[in-house]
Amino acid sequence: MCCSNSIERDKAMMGEPEAFDISVVSGMKFFDPHVHMTSRTTDDYQAMADAGVVALIEPAFWLGQPRTGLDSFRDYYSSLIGWERFRSSQFGIKHYCTIGLNSREANNESLSEQVMEILPLFIYKEGVVGIGEIGFDDQTAAEEKYYRLQLELAKEAGLPVQIHTPHRDKKKGTQRSMDIAIEHGLDPYSIIIDHNNEETVKEVLDRGFFAAFTIYPFTKMGNERMVEIVKQYGPERIMVNSAADWGISDPLAVPKTAALMKMRGLSNEAIEMVTYRNAITAFAQSGQIDEADFNAPQSIDQSVKFEGNTILRGGQQPRTDKSSIIIS
């Protein structure tokens, strides 16, 4: 289901499926500003590249299994700026990440103190475009403490902030997240409030923040609802992501939503803003994004290795593009 080139909805939950070909947006470029590729297979990278995804952002997040030691955080952050960037490049997709202590794990205070000490070792690395994803989950005192500390870290580093908003009591958590960010003196234009819905979008936009929407089955936002939101509020400071992770999710959610927008009559300019341009505008404030790095076809050579490791398995032959006009 995750990598088919059609939209399919769960029959039991959402009625009869509606399917169509995403070729209606063939030739468009997409930027998924929130996807957890660590949880995905290499096939997903291939499918995303085929669908027009040219760049993505992988926020640091909760792996499901609670981490019990500092070294597991260190290795995870290292993989975001190392192996995942390499794996993505093998399919011509530019990989960026945001680094932070996730709100769920902020509740382990003794470990969180240690994690805060190593964050500065990673946030200045190449390809790190923000502090994220941080914010509230259960809206505990510990979550607020480490959210505030990381806002200060973002301010010191001059990086955008990618904020996770809670599943429960979302409106209160979203308002609280914005209030605290402003209290710390951050410019709303440097902050991306994520996982919005119809209940939060107006206030987020009215207060000058970027509003991100996650197209994620059952729990966050459906793409039919997303089309209606863009029709109502316009494309300014709105962006769409998949947040695909180890749950039932879809790494093609951005191009599929673009296809639905096209079929429902939205202009190419509006679609391009919410599925590509606004993400660049927001996260380029880090100084780490140069659109020239991905606005042209990328040369791919799957024969290269990262620290001795390759994406190839079982005698698979590497893909090597020889069409580049660049000779080095």
Side-chain angles (χ1 to χ4, degrees), residues 95-298:
H95 182 285
Y96 304 97
C97 67
T98 58
I99 296 286
L101 172 66
N102 191 269
S103 54
R104 276 177 177 264
E105 294 177 300
N107 291 299
N108 183 343
E109 287 209 63
S110 60
L111 185 54
S112 296
E113 291 292 338
Q114 299 174 59
V115 173
M116 289 301 303
E117 291 184 7
I118 67 169
L119 286 182
L121 302 177
F122 292 94
I123 64 172
Y124 297 103
K125 296 290 188 182
E126 182 182 355
V128 178
V129 296
I131 302 295
E133 55 182 307
I134 62 173
F136 290 108
D137 187 52
D138 282 333
Q139 304 191 49
T140 67
E143 290 172 12
E144 180 171 334
K145 173 184 176 181
Y146 292 101
Y147 174 53
R148 288 180 179 274
L149 288 172
Q150 291 183 93
L151 290 177
E152 286 298 312
L153 192 60
K155 194 163 66 172
E156 180 180 335
L159 287 172
V161 181
Q162 191 172 31
I163 292 179
H164 166 91
T165 53
H167 299 284
R168 298 168 295 280
D169 210 350
K170 180 179 284 290
K171 186 173 183 179
K172 176 186 172 186
T174 301
Q175 291 172 329
R176 192 175 168 195
S177 299
M178 292 189 290
D179 289 344
I180 292 173
I182 290 171
E183 181 184 325
H184 279 260
L186 279 91
D187 182 351
Y189 196 72
S190 70
I191 296 177
I192 300 89
I193 304 290
D194 213 340
H195 312 319
N196 279 280
N197 61 21
E198 292 87 346
E199 190 180 32
T200 61
V201 55
K202 185 178 188 306
E203 183 173 353
V204 169
L205 292 174
D206 285 350
R207 296 179 73 173
F209 294 82
F210 279 90
F213 292 82
T214 296
I215 310 301
Y216 195 106
F218 313 126
T219 64
K220 293 187 174 71
M221 172 64 64
N223 51 15
E224 291 178 307
R225 291 162 57 201
M226 190 68 237
V227 171
E228 295 306 313
I229 285 173
V230 176
K231 283 183 176 179
Q232 181 174 353
Y233 294 98
E236 192 74 28
R237 280 183 288 115
I238 284 179
M239 65 183 78
V240 176
N241 63 61
S242 71
D245 55 17
W246 44 261
I248 296 173
S249 49
D250 189 346
L252 298 186
V254 174
K256 286 181 179 179
T257 302
L260 189 63
M261 289 176 173
K262 179 82 172 178
M263 295 178 67
R264 298 291 164 81
L266 288 174
S267 68
N268 284 351
E269 290 75 17
I271 297 169
E272 194 234 23
M273 283 185 73
V274 300
T275 61
Y276 180 76
R277 180 63 54 195
N278 288 343
I280 297 171
T281 299
F283 288 99
Q285 296 178 85
S286 65
Q288 290 269 9
I289 295 179
D290 182 351
E291 192 179 353
D293 288 342
F294 53 81
N295 70 357
Q298 301 300 302

Side-chain angles (χ1 to χ4, degrees), residues 29-89:
K29 298 193 295 284
F30 303 106
F31 191 130
D32 188 339
H34 186 150
V35 56
H36 299 292
M37 296 310 296
T38 296
S39 306
R40 310 302 305 194
T41 68
T42 297
D43 286 356
D44 292 330
Y45 276 120
Q46 180 68 71
M48 294 168 77
D50 290 345
V53 176
V54 296
L56 59 85
I57 294 172
E58 179 160 9
F61 87 131
W62 176 60
L63 294 178
Q65 172 69 41
R67 282 170 280 217
T68 58
L70 183 61
D71 282 345
S72 60
F73 278 95
R74 198 192 314 272
D75 290 343
Y76 174 59
Y77 295 145
S78 295
S79 75
L80 294 183
I81 61 174
W83 170 252
E84 281 308 324
R85 181 183 303 166
F86 166 77
R87 196 162 68 115
S88 184
S89 74

